[in-house]
Amino acid sequence: MSNSGHPKDTGHRRGLMLVLSSPSGAGKTTLTKMLLEEFADAKLSVSATTRPPRPNEVDGKDYHFKSVDEFRRMIEAREFLEWAHVFDKYYGTPKADTVARLEAGEDVLFDVDWQGADALHDQMPNDVVSVFVLPPSISALEQRLSARPGSTPEMVARRMEDAKREIMHWRRYDYVIVNDQLDVAYQRLRRILLVERLKRLRQLDLEDHVRCLLGEA
Ligand code: ADP
Ligand code: 5GP
């Protein structure tokens, strides 16, 4: 498929923050991977954490691995767009990486829960485009969770409970996609990305272009 969202189509642009949330199992990881494969100028946000790397994880790619002291210093210095204490470890989204990418005309993708999505929106209201992914039915969600490698009935039951709590927040999002047929859901997601790239505030050449049109340049 052609990459019809290349920056050349829209001139010099500011990237956007595409924030995806869903109950676990609804398909946001699958949809995010598809976007990353199609759009070379979209990148996944890399979080910082104080948990140790797992065997196959690479510093700077999967996470920025930090000491507790360094992470706390970054909190004090307000270097995070949002952060949380999860399972006794710190996790957070460094602000500088995201801002540099937006200014370079790249989109940054986030796979976060509704609280993370809210926090990102509070910090960067003009940059965030939020999308909530819903399953077509509760039974489909259960089947997808059960089919995931390594899942146990207990894990599925707990995630189904969590799913209902996450779904309740669907109204906070700019867009909602029901992920029934994967290819249909993906087409909707990529259309959202392409049209959001055309927002006036993201087309950085327009001021000059219009000044030129008006003979003011
Ligand atoms: P999430 O990241 O929201 O937890 P995943 O992307 O890991 O969800 O998807 C959960 C499972 O459902 C995976 O095995 C994935 O291949 C499958 N899946 C995703 N979308 C669909 C779909 N539209 N139809 C059928 N299976 C799907
Ligand atoms: P893991 O240690 O398995 O990679 O992630 C554990 C949990 O931390 C997951 O629920 C994940 O969503 C969450 N997490 C990862 N990065 C961030 C982040 O930048 N901010 C917040 N708030 N949570 C994160």
Side-chain angles (χ1 to χ4, degrees):
M1 197 180 291
S2 74
N3 186 344
S4 49
H6 191 279
K8 263 189 285 192
D9 292 348
T10 54
H12 182 209
R13 71 177 180 94
R14 180 172 172 86
L16 58 87
M17 295 165 66
L18 191 68
V19 178
L20 265 88
S21 306
S22 78
S24 180
K28 65 183 176 307
T29 308
T30 307
L31 288 164
T32 301
K33 276 197 188 136
M34 291 169 83
L35 270 187
L36 291 170
E37 273 166 26
E38 184 181 356
F39 296 95
D41 47 353
K43 304 270 164 56
L44 200 59
S45 164
V46 180
S47 297
T49 183
T50 58
R51 79 150 166 75
R54 294 179 186 140
N56 54 345
E57 286 180 332
V58 178
D59 189 28
K61 182 169 171 278
D62 298 288
Y63 280 105
H64 299 289
F65 294 100
K66 304 282 180 196
S67 67
V68 173
D69 282 351
E70 172 64 359
F71 201 101
R72 289 194 178 137
R73 187 204 61 74
M74 290 173 76
I75 295 173
E76 290 284 307
R78 300 181 175 276
E79 290 180 22
F80 290 112
L81 285 174
E82 60 84 43
W83 62 272
H85 207 212
V86 188
F87 311 131
D88 216 26
K89 302 288 177 198
Y90 287 108
Y91 292 85
T93 307
K95 182 169 185 173
D97 281 9
T98 297
V99 169
R101 285 182 166 173
L102 297 178
E103 287 174 356
E106 289 180 1
D107 303 314
V108 188
L109 309 189
F110 296 84
D111 177 337
V112 294
D113 66 9
W114 70 268
Q115 282 157 317
D118 256 13
L120 292 174
H121 184 265
D122 281 351
Q123 293 288 313
M124 312 281 280
N126 290 330
D127 294 301
V128 166
V129 176
S130 61
V131 180
F132 198 75
V133 180
L134 283 172
S137 66
I138 283 293
S139 61
L141 183 66
E142 196 160 5
Q143 273 167 22
R144 287 178 196 175
L145 283 172
S146 309
R148 262 205 313 218
S151 77
T152 63
E154 294 73 37
M155 269 164 63
V156 172
R158 212 188 60 215
R159 289 186 177 226
M160 289 302 289
E161 278 308 306
D162 292 345
K164 291 189 180 158
R165 278 197 288 277
E166 186 75 14
I167 288 170
M168 288 185 340
H169 301 283
W170 68 281
R171 285 192 190 83
R172 294 171 184 269
Y173 290 77
D174 298 320
Y175 297 93
V176 176
I177 294 175
V178 177
N179 179 18
D180 187 357
Q181 295 289 321
L182 183 60
D183 54 340
V184 174
Y186 179 64
Q187 287 307 317
R188 289 184 179 168
L189 183 60
R190 72 188 291 285
R191 290 208 308 260
I192 291 167
L193 178 69
L194 291 175
V195 82
E196 284 286 346
R197 285 178 172 184
L198 297 175
K199 278 255 172 88
R200 175 172 49 80
L201 286 175
R202 301 196 172 107
Q203 296 196 53
L204 300 179
D205 292 341
L206 284 182
E207 291 287 346
D208 284 348
H209 183 65
V210 173
R211 255 198 301 276
C212 224
L213 289 176
L214 297 177
E216 295 167 3

